[in-house]
Amino acid sequence: MRFSTATAALAALGPLSAAAAESPFEQYKAKFQNFLSSFSGSAGIPEAADNVQVPIPKPKSKTVEPKKIDTLTLANWKDALYAPVHAEATIPEEWLVLITGGNKTCFGRCDKLDTAFSQSALKLASLKPTPDNLHLASVNCDDEPVLCNSWSASTGVIWLFEILPAPTETGLYVKRLNTTTVTSQDIVDAYVAPKEEWTKVESDSYFHPIDGFFAKNGLAVPLGWFFWGLNAVPSWVMMLGVSFVSRSMMNKRVEGMAGGPRAGAGAPAAAAPRGAAPGDARS
């Protein structure tokens, strides 16, 4: 009994004696190690922050620019159409040309068509694949009456030129649009539609702007001026001229039906009978 009590007392004094035997240097060393461990723990925070993944912004999609719409005039139209054509080109440059007008030539009905054509410029540029060889232009027949007359072009239509280096013949297709209901999508659909849905202008026709008979012989522009002059003359002057010419023709026709001057109107009088000789029994 005494042995067990002594053993328990020694066991209880063991930790106390160990603590007493520990030198002060060891205590300071333990505190310094705890200080270093706390410092390394606090220094690890920025390292964790460095591992945070920052979202990378996605590259912006390329902005599609609408097709430029050139304005064709009597002075520049041919140079403008051939400007993008390279000398060795084998793929034709396409020109989609709107024939429009104002109150004189389109009677004020082309405003909706003009708006739709302008809006189609962006849609045509957004087609896949992008038609890099497509160009847009317009002709206002109020401003360019001679050009429209030399082409024999009416308003409310679109022309599609397929141009290769000269002297290769130029393809030309014409399509009429409904000026009251047309939309930009109608113009895009017309462009992508098969050529069979267009009206083809043969290169040997008289009024083909580039390869026609009048164009090759230098007569297209003079005819344009002539037809413009006729359209510029007031209607009452035309009626007066037609009336004068028709009356002159009728007078000549009446004279021809009468057979010329009346008989004896201009003939000399008949000679009087000669009298009998002197001594004649008849006298």
Side-chain angles (χ1 to χ4, degrees):
M1 185 70 169
R2 291 179 181 177
F3 177 76
S4 59
T5 303
T7 303
L10 290 174
L13 292 174
L16 295 176
S17 62
E22 186 177 4
S23 65
F25 177 76
E26 293 296 333
Q27 295 179 1
Y28 288 122
K29 182 179 178 181
K31 290 182 180 181
F32 183 73
Q33 289 178 348
N34 293 335
F35 172 76
L36 289 179
S37 62
S38 63
F39 179 79
S40 62
S42 60
I45 297 175
E47 182 179 358
D50 292 339
N51 295 330
V52 177
Q53 295 183 354
V54 179
I56 301 175
K58 296 182 179 179
K60 295 182 179 180
S61 58
K62 184 179 179 181
T63 303
V64 179
E65 296 293 335
K67 292 281 186 179
K68 177 185 176 183
I69 301 178
D70 293 324
T71 300
L72 302 183
T73 66
L74 181 63
N76 74 349
W77 72 269
K78 197 166 186 179
D79 293 336
L81 295 185
Y82 275 94
V85 180
H86 300 288
E88 304 298 331
T90 57
I91 299 176
E93 296 290 330
E94 296 181 327
W95 279 91
L96 192 64
V97 180
L98 171 67
I99 310 298
T100 183
N103 292 329
K104 293 180 181 179
T105 55
C106 199
F107 308 104
R109 296 178 297 182
C110 285
D111 292 340
K112 188 177 181 65
L113 178 59
D114 294 339
T115 302
F117 191 73
S118 298
Q119 294 175 348
S120 69
L122 179 59
K123 293 184 177 181
L124 290 170
S126 303
L127 290 176
K128 301 297 182 182
T130 304
D132 295 329
N133 63 327
L134 174 63
H135 314 275
L136 304 182
S138 66
V139 178
N140 190 312
C141 290
D142 274 22
D143 301 331
E144 298 294 331
V146 177
L147 178 60
C148 290
N149 281 286
S150 66
W151 286 4
S152 188
S154 59
T155 58
V157 299
I158 50 177
W159 287 26
L160 181 61
F161 290 86
E162 294 180 341
I163 300 181
L164 286 168
T168 307
E169 293 183 350
T170 300
L172 177 58
Y173 302 86
V174 178
K175 191 174 186 64
R176 178 164 293 280
L177 300 172
N178 189 330
T179 57
T180 58
T181 62
V182 65
T183 63
S184 59
Q185 189 60 42
D186 292 336
I187 297 175
V188 175
D189 293 342
Y191 171 71
V192 300
K195 294 298 187 298
E196 290 76 11
E197 299 183 12
W198 293 64
T199 300
K200 184 178 181 180
V201 179
E202 299 296 337
S203 58
D204 58 353
S205 62
Y206 285 101
F207 283 98
H208 191 289
I210 298 175
D211 302 318
F213 173 81
F214 292 136
K216 285 186 175 180
N217 292 278
L219 300 175
V221 174
L223 282 175
W225 282 105
F226 174 75
F227 289 128
W228 172 79
L230 288 180
N231 293 330
V233 175
S235 59
W236 63 269
V237 175
M238 292 291 295
M239 294 299 297
L240 184 62
V242 170
S243 177
F244 177 78
V245 172
S246 62
R247 181 169 295 183
S248 299
M249 294 177 62
M250 289 298 296
N251 290 339
K252 291 181 180 180
R253 185 177 181 184
V254 169
E255 290 180 0
M257 293 178 61
R262 289 177 295 175
R274 188 177 58 179
D280 193 339
R282 292 177 294 178
S283 55

